[in-house]
Amino acid sequence: MKAAPFAYVRPSSLSDAIAELASTGGGGKVIAGGQSLVPVLAMRLARPETLVDINAVAELDRFGTADGYLEIGATVRQRRVERDPVSATVPLLGMALPWVGHRELRSRGTVCGSLAHADPAAELPAVACCLNAELTVTGTGGARRVPAREFFSGAMTTALGPEDILTAVRFPVAGKGEGFGFAEIARRHGDFALAGVVARVRVRGTETDAQLTGFGVSDRPVTRSAAGELAAALRESGGEVSRLPGALSDPLTALAEELVDTDGDAHASRDYRRRLFRTLASRELSKAYERARRSAGEVDS
Amino acid sequence: MTEVLAENGKPRAVKAAADDLVEVRMTVNGTPAVLSLPARVTLADALRDHLGLTGTHVGCEHGVCGMCTVLVDGEAARACLLFAVQLDGADIVTVEGLGRPDDLHPLQEAFGRNHALQCGFCTPGFLMSSYDLLSNQPEVTEEELPAELSGVICRCTGYRNILTAVRETKSAHPGGIPAPGNCAHRALVGRATGQAGVSTDGREVTEETGDTRRIDIVLPDGDPTIAVDVGTEIGVPVDAVWRVFDDVSLLARCLPGAELTEDLGEDQYAGRARVSVGPIKLAFKGVAHVVEHDRAGQRLRVLAQGQDTGGAQTQADIVLRTEATATGTVMRAEAKVYLTGRIAQFGRALAGDVSRRMFEQFADALRETATSGQAPTGPVAAPSALKLLFAPLFDRIRTALRRKSR
């Protein structure tokens, strides 16, 4: 369980980092926290010729709000995001981060690293998709912004080319009338989820928008609008809060069948994951709707 | 290998080929350390194999079991998921830095009291993880403890007791738990791999005096592992004792198991020392430096440093004082002995007894040499288990006989 030998480069500027990565001709891999990459190296599932360590690049350490977004640079640790009060501007981060591995992993693991690794059962890619966060991808040709929903293209496969570095991600700051929900079921705390959901509901007057993202249920995070299902359930329940999760169950059955397309494994069959997803989605969509109404000032908090 | 010092606390820029060694500087348990490592060496292996700190255990080696949990810049992290070269400038605390055998950290004390360890393999991981939890998230509730401590696995089913120990420590320290209590400048040693780490903050450097074996012996801060303070009455005049003190080669031959191999000049000497206690056999190679030789003040001070091939290091600060009496000389030996590596796993009491016994043998040999004016034939034998076991008994018999004869 020792990594195979690799060349090690730790440049001090982003341009150097990109040049170093480009010079490896595809044999290089970026490392920041390494909490997803090092196990893969230890098991020799990957044997990159060169590791490009970006931790000495000062400009990748940016973390703060600007232009209605919370921007998180490539070397910002998950635990820093979890503990910093500024993260309250994106409530889903505070809800999801405690579920990312364990404290001991979040102290080194980075938000961008989790996105770049793109495990289909990971929490942060799902949060990014539900909010349609913007990812900054920098390569030899410069920087470009990729919406999260276009970034993930399969299991551990993303829009990143072999010479690209995910340099930052920006999450939209939550506005008035927005509410969120997050839940997952894992066999043990810190394990990857058997199924998980992220919900975002926006209430504006009579208009209600709902976005639902599932993770651990396909080869990538899957996002659909659940506005129709929510509207149907609201009619069915007569606007009564306690009846909303039950009323959502039926409308979400078809959505669960559509989104949950993973094959079953030793831990959970596909049908079980569909039931899990439907149950979690009913609850979290209801909670997100309630929180959105509270945030919009429609109900007393 | 290019090296540029980066600003604002960032690690230095590095470029190294796969078979290059990369230099990394970090602080480990309060001691600055410089290591030269292949990039693929994990922090866990660097701590264990290169610095001799085997308290950090290695289990799964891919970040699942939590055995290797240490503090990196004050937060718990898995030492098997970090390459040591990534930690340039980092501050590492391992379980060795948490408390001292005679002054345990409250967490260690609570683990012991609650039987929160059985085989002990997961204990360093649990201690460092719970230290991180209680120091960085003191607001954690009792209900959250099981999930918060789920990053370390115990296979002796000791979770209940572990949770109790952490809960008790938390409630006993509402204002925050005490900082690690055993972090100070001290010697860090490597194993027999020949890739030993160097413990340095620039104070301990090889002098540029031609002979590169000459070193500045820098003693660790903090309490010594063993403090010896013994006085012996020697039935020879002070002058005779100092004739032995004046001749270092003669003096060295009085030290049990010691052998002077070379005069390095400027009061430094290279030597060997063997210690044998039962099946335990240690062979130290090292340097002694006579830093004070004051015949008028009747004081001789020697600093010594030795390393065993198996990864044990000892450093000592020895002061010998003499005082003339009506019947001869009282010799007083005060020694502060610092042990690191596997030798430190000796019980302190045993190590202390062995050291004291060695000083007594030294006094005996000194008496003989001072009386005869000649070195003992061959070096004084290393203390053996049998002698060590029976010596106290002989002492008692001798005392009894002496009393009888009066």
Side-chain angles (χ1 to χ4, degrees), chain A residues 1-3 5-10 20 32 35 38 44 53 55-56 79 83 102-105 107-108 189, chain B residues 10-16 18 40 45 61-62 72 75-76 81 85-86 129 132-133 136-137 148 150:
Chain A
M1 300 297 283
K2 316 280 186 199
F6 50 79
Y8 176 75
V9 194
R10 188 168 60 211
E20 290 289 357
Q35 301 298 287
V38 178
R44 303 208 179 184
D53 184 345
N55 284 294
R79 203 153 160 203
R83 296 175 63 77
H102 300 281
R103 248 182 317 122
E104 297 89 336
L105 299 169
S107 63
R108 302 299 298 180
H189 182 91
Chain B
K10 286 277 171 188
R12 298 164 294 169
V14 165
K15 183 166 179 150
R40 67 177 175 137
D45 288 343
E61 294 197 293
H62 65 289
V72 178
E75 290 184 353
L81 290 189
V85 295
Q86 289 197 282
S129 176
D132 168 44
L133 179 66
N136 290 314
Q137 288 165 233
E148 286 293 345
S150 62

Side-chain angles (χ1 to χ4, degrees), chain B residues 282-325:
Chain B
L282 301 169
F284 290 97
K285 260 184 166 172
V287 173
H289 187 188
V290 180
V291 290
E292 208 180 319
H293 187 276
D294 180 3
R295 191 166 184 162
Q298 302 201 58
R299 226 174 102 92
L300 184 77
R301 184 168 173 231
V302 181
L303 298 182
Q305 178 168 302
Q307 191 158 339
D308 166 58
T309 48
Q313 178 157 310
T314 178
Q315 288 175 297
D317 180 356
I318 305 157
V319 177
L320 296 172
R321 280 180 297 151
T322 56
E323 200 183 314
T325 62

Side-chain angles (χ1 to χ4, degrees), chain A:
Chain A
M1 300 297 283
K2 316 280 186 199
F6 50 79
Y8 176 75
V9 194
R10 188 168 60 211
S12 56
S13 75
L14 183 56
S15 53
D16 284 355
I18 290 161
E20 290 289 357
L21 195 58
S23 74
T24 64
K29 186 88 185 118
V30 174
I31 186 167
Q35 301 298 287
S36 300
L37 180 62
V38 178
V40 173
L41 298 181
M43 291 189 264
R44 303 208 179 184
L45 296 170
R47 301 175 71 141
E49 285 160 27
T50 304
L51 280 192
V52 180
D53 184 345
I54 55 173
N55 284 294
V57 181
E59 61 192 285
L60 297 179
D61 201 24
R62 263 201 297 266
F63 177 44
T65 49
D67 309 327
Y69 285 91
L70 177 66
E71 184 168 348
I72 302 173
T75 60
V76 177
R77 314 283 174 204
Q78 290 155 359
R79 203 153 160 203
R80 180 174 164 203
V81 176
E82 192 180 354
R83 296 175 63 77
D84 196 308
V86 78
S87 304
T89 55
V90 182
L92 270 176
L93 286 175
M95 298 164 93
L97 277 167
W99 296 92
V100 180
H102 300 281
R103 248 182 317 122
E104 297 89 336
L105 299 169
R106 299 195 294 274
S107 63
R108 302 299 298 180
T110 61
V111 171
C112 285
S114 178
L115 299 177
H117 186 67
D119 190 292
E123 293 82 2
L124 293 175
V127 169
C129 283
C130 190
L131 299 177
N132 209 10
E134 287 181 357
L135 286 75
T136 307
V137 175
T138 312
T140 39
R144 61 187 192 276
R145 285 224 170 97
V146 182
R149 291 178 195 176
E150 291 166 27
F151 181 77
F152 301 97
S153 49
M156 297 180 190
T157 312
T158 66
L160 286 169
E163 296 177 5
D164 289 331
I165 298 177
L166 175 58
T167 44
V169 58
R170 50 182 213 163
F171 294 92
V173 164
K176 193 168 149 67
E178 280 190 74
F180 305 92
F182 179 96
E184 71 171 55
I185 298 285
R187 294 173 72 236
R188 288 170 299 258
H189 182 91
D191 277 11
F192 282 118
L194 295 177
V197 294
V198 187
R200 176 201 200 189
V201 172
R202 188 160 45 198
V203 176
R204 257 189 213 146
T206 54
E207 263 180 65
T208 300
D209 180 43
Q211 297 290 322
L212 200 58
T213 300
F215 59 99
V217 298
S218 185
D219 69 343
R220 73 197 84 171
V222 280
T223 309
R224 292 285 183 280
S225 165
E229 287 82 355
L230 181 58
L234 284 170
R235 280 193 300 275
E236 164 81 21
S237 65
E240 205 174 305
V241 182
S242 59
R243 288 182 57 208
L244 191 54
L248 271 165
S249 195
D250 266 354
L252 287 177
T253 304
L255 193 125
E257 259 175 52
E258 182 198 338
L259 291 184
V260 183
D261 66 358
T262 182
D263 288 332
D265 58 19
H267 305 307
S269 67
R270 183 194 299 179
D271 282 347
Y272 177 68
R273 286 173 201 259
R274 280 179 175 160
R275 286 209 302 281
L276 265 188
F277 177 83
R278 191 184 62 189
T279 306
L280 295 177
S282 305
R283 289 180 195 162
E284 295 311 312
L285 208 50
S286 302
K287 284 188 208 161
Y289 174 70
E290 264 311 292
R291 289 167 183 154
R293 290 221 307 156
R294 216 169 278 156
S295 162
E298 291 190 11
V299 288
D300 296 331
S301 51

